[in-house]
């Protein structure tokens, strides 16, 4: 079918278009005028192509700074097609005649050759319903009153100019591909256009767009369009309105349906775009502005308990039965931007937890029901992308709960409490492939992890001396245990696993030095017993339980307690009675420490209890006396008033003996002393010293120390706790009992301040052995002996410790003073000497001694001479040297002249006690000479600087005073 084209430009009324004449031929009439005639049989068409009818413009944000230059783009051209009547024969080939021919003629909506297609708004193609006509003037029209010529236009209408609205069917635009997407956001997004096409395709009547006005010109369309469909719950765009004037949009309204991720509540977003006059650079600018984007919550509450069957873990991965939207912003910036909402989370215990969470808008349709888009959504929601005030990437899935109490699991039977103080919660999203059935939207939220402070651990740490303040302590990361999600609670009632917490040590100041046990690395939580270890299975061995913890600071607990082999499972119904039963039931053993938290006295009380089995064969020097047992119990309570937590820890080690031996291998070890204990018990409470109760059954001297047995009658061995002094030290406790001996006068001999004492030292800290010490007075309070003009002091001590070291200390000091006064001449002499001896069975030996003697003579106070000699010797076994110091001081006073001279010699004798060598040089000798103060000689020896005085000069100098 032949076609011809003609481009028309009529300046009078701005008519610019292109005509296409289909099956029409140009003929010349007999009058000479040119005419269009039907070329052949079949339909004939006149088609008018108009310039773009819409300008796509970048939308500015109301109230934000302008982003110049604004971007814009032209839509594609539009086409109007008219089919000429079958009775048509010819028309004059003039513009006004052709326009008159098609005025009020019916537009072709569907035809294989030609059809009316209007692109309005940008990238949306519209086809009018059948019987749509167009009305326009054929000649320019100028108002007689205003003398203004009307711009040429054609108005689409139905039946008459005042008929009903015209309906349009949208068509897919090949130019609206993703690759050719506009680089800016316009009045109607591509997602909106896709929704309009889908609505048309799925509707019984595809004409889903209504127009009360559509007027086309060479400068663009003037239009009033609106949606003509019933909202589809499976398509996002629920409503649409669009107004334009001469191709420029001035009002647009879209209503989009969707959900908020991850909680799945239904919402709508209404977007209003308006043209406003704004002032930029002092000039008015008519810009297209997004004035409002209104969020409306349709579902304020969602019930997840009703959806639990869809979860792979029967809903156990979702600790909340309901989530309510308390408030949300009315105006938002963008469909893609995170929306901050105030939520109320209702957990399985009925707690209402308030929080603020970031959510994402998900439009209904494929974006909310298919795996691919949802996987992209989950990645955007969970992966760190935004930036926090600390410039660290954060995830939208992280929700701060501010330490609110939250139950992790249900508690229908009342056997346990899984409530934790949760600092933050991380939501995850279950995709359609991970769910057991289909749901709209096709995703469900769950708890991926949480950062919480566990009351049982928090209470324990919070009362430790020097502990980090609660506000500064970091929370523990918690996840639901896979076994719990798959099958529910097991026999241990484990429901969560957590980032392993290194062994938690009950501080020594609370354990009375008895054990200071370290709980094993905690990696899980039980509904019954609180924090537990090895939640992924495996036997808890002794070394796992206590690591290198020491009993009484010395004995390895791992070598004393039994492994968890054959441990009897705890009856869940009796878990809260164990705290009291463990003392009464001698056959009840708890190889794993148990921590529980209960409501008590208007607050929270954390209890811990531990009673391991004791091995039959114990490491030296510990021996059992019958049925030996170790029990540790504690309770830490915090009142609702917020006062500092109060604690009470008590424990007992019963029926044991400490056997002290001389050093040597196992084959050569000789027991020299045994101390039998009925019980070592303690009670430690807040703001008070540790209360120690020590019951000693007896003390037995053995082997080479049987000679001390005779002293036993003089020592208080029955019970050191009765009448004894208990001294609590930072690193241990000392229980001491002392018996003072009355003054013993024996003629000229007088002995006083003699005290016989015995003490037991128990350590709080590792690697400091327990010890028993017997003394005859002490170094800081020695006994005193006097005979005539001579007198002295001394002490003796014997100490035996659990590391097989025996230490003996002894010291004796004595001296005498005599004076003479003959009035004219007076004088005096004195002699003082002392020796200190320290011997250890591990080879340590220290001997120190000193001698001081001197005298003076004074004649009438005019002449006086004083001489003093001081000698000090020390034997240092570690270096195998004898170190000696000697000093001679001479003072002379004659009338008003006085002078004093002194010199000192220090000497080390190496290899003391060994065979002498043939050489003895000066390299170990230091000589110093002082004359009334300043030293004028220096060291003589290898490596020293040159002396100021030679040895010969020094000897000559000294001979002057001989």
């Amino acid at each position: 079918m032949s076609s011809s084209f003609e481009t028309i430009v009529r300046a009078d009324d701005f008519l610019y278009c292109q005509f296409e004449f289909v099956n029409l031929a140009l003929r010349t009439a007999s009058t000479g005028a040119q005419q269009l005639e039907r070329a052949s049989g079949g339909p004939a068409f006149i088609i008018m192509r108009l310039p773009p009818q819409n300008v796509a413009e970048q939308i500015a944000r109301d109230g934000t700074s302008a982003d110049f230059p604004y971007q814009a783009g032209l839509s594609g051209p539009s086409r109007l097609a008219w089919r000429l009547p079958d009775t048509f024969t010819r028309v004059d080939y003039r513009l006004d005649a052709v326009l008159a021919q098609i005025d009020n003629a019916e537009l072709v909506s569907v035809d294989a050759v030609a059809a009316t297609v209007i692109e309005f708004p940008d990238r949306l193609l519209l086809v009018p319903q059948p019987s749509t006509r167009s009305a326009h003037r054929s000649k320019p029209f100028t108002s007689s009153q205003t003398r203004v010529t009307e711009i040429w236009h054609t108005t689409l209408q139905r039946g008459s100019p005042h008929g009903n609205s015209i309906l349009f069917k949208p068509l897919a635009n090949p130019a609206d591909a993703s690759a050719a997407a506009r680089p800016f956001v316009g009045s109607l997004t591509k997602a909106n256009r896709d929704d309009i096409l889908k609505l048309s395709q799925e509707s019984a009547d595809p004409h889903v767009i209504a127009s009360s006005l559509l007027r086309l010109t060479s400068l663009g369309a003037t239009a009033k369009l609106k949606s003509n469909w019933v909202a589809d719950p499976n398509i996002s765009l629920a409503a649409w309105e669009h107004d334009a004037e001469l191709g420029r949009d001035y009002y647009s309204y879209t209503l989009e349906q969707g959900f908020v991720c991850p909680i799945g509540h239904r919402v709508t977003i209404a977007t209003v775009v308006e043209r406003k006059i704004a002032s930029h650079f002092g000039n008015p600018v008519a810009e297209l502005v997004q004035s409002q984007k209104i969020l409306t919550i349709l579902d304020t509450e969602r019930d997840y308990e009703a959806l639990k069957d869809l979860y792979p873990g029967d809903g156990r991965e979702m600790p909340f039965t309901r989530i309510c939207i308390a408030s949300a912003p009315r105006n938002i910036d963008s469909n893609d931007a995170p929306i901050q909402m105030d939520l109320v989370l209702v957990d399985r215990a009925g707690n209402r937890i308030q929080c603020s969470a970031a959510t994402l808008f998900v439009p209904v349709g494929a974006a909310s029901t298919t795996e691919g888009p949802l996987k992209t959504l989950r990645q955007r929601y969970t992966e760190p992308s935004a930036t926090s005030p600390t410039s660290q990437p954060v995830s939208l899935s992280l929700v701060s709960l501010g330490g609110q109490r939250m139950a992790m699991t249900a508690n229908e039977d009342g056997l346990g409490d899984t409530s934790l103080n949760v600092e933050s919660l991380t939501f995850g999203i279950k995709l359609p492939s991970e769910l057991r059935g289909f749901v709209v939207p096709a995703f469900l939220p769950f708890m991926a992890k949480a950062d919480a402070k566990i009351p049982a651990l928090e209470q324990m740490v919070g009362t430790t001396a020097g502990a980090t303040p609660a506000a500064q302590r970091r929370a523990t990361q918690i996840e639901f245990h896979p076994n719990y999600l798959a099958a529910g609670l097991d026999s241990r009632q484990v429901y969560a696993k957590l980032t392993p917490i290194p062994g938690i040590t009950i501080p020594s100041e609370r354990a009375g030095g008895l054990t200071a046990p370290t709980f094993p690395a905690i990696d899980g939580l039980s509904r019954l017993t609180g924090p537990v270890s090895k939640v992924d299975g495996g036997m808890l061995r002794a070394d796992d339980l206590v690591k290198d913890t020491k009993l009484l600071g010395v004995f390895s607990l791992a070598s004393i307690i039994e492994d968890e082999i054959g441990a009897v499972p705890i009856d869940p119904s009796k878990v809260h009675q164990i705290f009291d039963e463990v003392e009464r039931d001698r056959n009840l053993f708890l190889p794993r420490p148990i921590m529980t938290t209960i409501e008590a006295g208007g607050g929270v009380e954390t209890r811990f209890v531990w009673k391991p089995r004791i091995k039959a064969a114990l490491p030296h020097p510990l021996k059992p006396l019958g049925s030996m047992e170790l029990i540790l119990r504690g309770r830490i309570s915090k009142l609702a008033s917020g006062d500092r937590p109060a604690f009470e820890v008590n424990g007992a080690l019963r029926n044991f003996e400490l056997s002290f031996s001389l050093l040597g291998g196992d084959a050569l070890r000789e027991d020299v002393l045994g101390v039998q204990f009925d019980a070592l018990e303690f009670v430690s409470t807040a703001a008070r010293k540790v209360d120690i109760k020590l019951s000693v059954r007896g003390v037995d001297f053995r082997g080479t120390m049987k000679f001390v047995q005779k002293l036993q009658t003089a020592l208080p061995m029955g019970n050191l706790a009765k009448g004894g002094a208990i001294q609590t030290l930072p690193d241990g406790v000392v229980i001491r009992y002392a018996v003072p001996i009355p003054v013993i006068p024996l003629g000229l001999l007088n002995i006083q301040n003699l005290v016989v004492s015995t003490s037991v030292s128990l350590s709080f800290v590792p690697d400091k052995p327990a010890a028993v010490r017997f003394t005859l007075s002490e170094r800081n309070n020695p006994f005193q002996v006097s005979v005539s003009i001579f007198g002295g002091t001394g002490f003796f001590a014997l100490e035996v410790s659990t590391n097989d070291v025996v230490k003996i200390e002894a010291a004796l000091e004595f001296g005498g003073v005599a004076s003479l006064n003959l009035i004219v001449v007076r004088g005096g002499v004195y002699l003082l000497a002392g020796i200190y001896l320290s011997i250890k069975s591990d080879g340590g030996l220290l001997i120190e001694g000193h001698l001081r003697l001197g005298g003076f003579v004074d004649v009438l106070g005019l002449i006086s001479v004083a001489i003093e000699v001081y000698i000090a010797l020390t034997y240092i076994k570690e270096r195998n040297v004898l170190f000696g110091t000697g000093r001679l001081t001479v003072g002379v006073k004659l009338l008003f002249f006085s002078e004093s001279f002194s010199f000192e010699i220090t000497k080390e004798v190496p290899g003391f006690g060994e065979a002498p060598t043939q050489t003895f040089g000066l390299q170990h000798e230091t000589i110093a000479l002082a004359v009334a103060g300043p030293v004028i000689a220096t060291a003589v020896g290898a490596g020293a600087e040159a002396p100021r005085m030679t040895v010969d000069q020094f000897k000559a100098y000294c001979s002057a005073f001989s």
Side-chain angles (χ1 to χ4, degrees), residues 747-750 785-792 813-820 828-832:
L748 296 178
L749 176 65
N750 188 36
V785 180
S786 63
V787 180
S788 185
I789 64 172
F790 297 99
E813 292 183 309
F814 61 89
V817 179
S819 62
L820 176 67
V829 294
Y830 58 89
L831 173 65
L832 302 173

Side-chain angles (χ1 to χ4, degrees), residues 38-81:
R38 191 183 299 270
S40 62
F45 300 92
I46 297 178
I47 300 173
M48 175 188 285
R49 290 183 174 87
L50 291 170
Q53 295 299 298
N54 186 237
V55 179
E57 300 178 58
Q58 178 183 349
I59 297 175
R61 296 284 177 82
D62 201 2
T64 60
S65 58
D67 183 18
F68 293 122
Y70 288 140
Q71 300 184 70
L74 290 175
S75 65
S78 293
R79 181 180 67 192
L80 301 178

Side-chain angles (χ1 to χ4, degrees), residues 771-784:
V772 176
R773 181 179 176 91
F774 301 92
T775 65
L776 191 63
S777 297
E778 288 281 4
R779 179 188 302 188
N780 59 350
N781 189 23
F783 60 79
Q784 300 172 4

Side-chain angles (χ1 to χ4, degrees), residues 603-650:
V604 179
E605 181 175 280
T606 295
R607 296 176 172 183
F608 59 88
V609 59
W610 183 42
K611 184 183 178 183
R613 290 182 182 272
I614 305 297
K615 292 181 178 179
L618 300 178
H620 182 83
L622 193 62
K623 295 181 179 179
L625 296 178
S627 178
M628 181 178 172
E629 63 180 14
L630 170 64
I631 302 175
L632 186 69
R633 301 188 306 158
R635 63 178 81 211
I636 305 169
S637 58
K638 183 175 179 60
L639 299 177
S641 59
D643 295 338
R644 180 178 175 83
F647 70 86
E648 176 182 301
V649 181
N650 55 69

Side-chain angles (χ1 to χ4, degrees), residues 250-271:
Y250 68 85
Y251 177 80
S252 174
Y253 169 85
T254 57
L255 180 65
E256 297 168 273
Q257 304 175 104
F259 308 94
V260 284
C261 170
I263 56 179
H265 292 56
R266 291 189 308 126
V267 299
T268 61
I269 295 178
T271 304

Side-chain angles (χ1 to χ4, degrees), residues 77 372 867:
I867 299 176

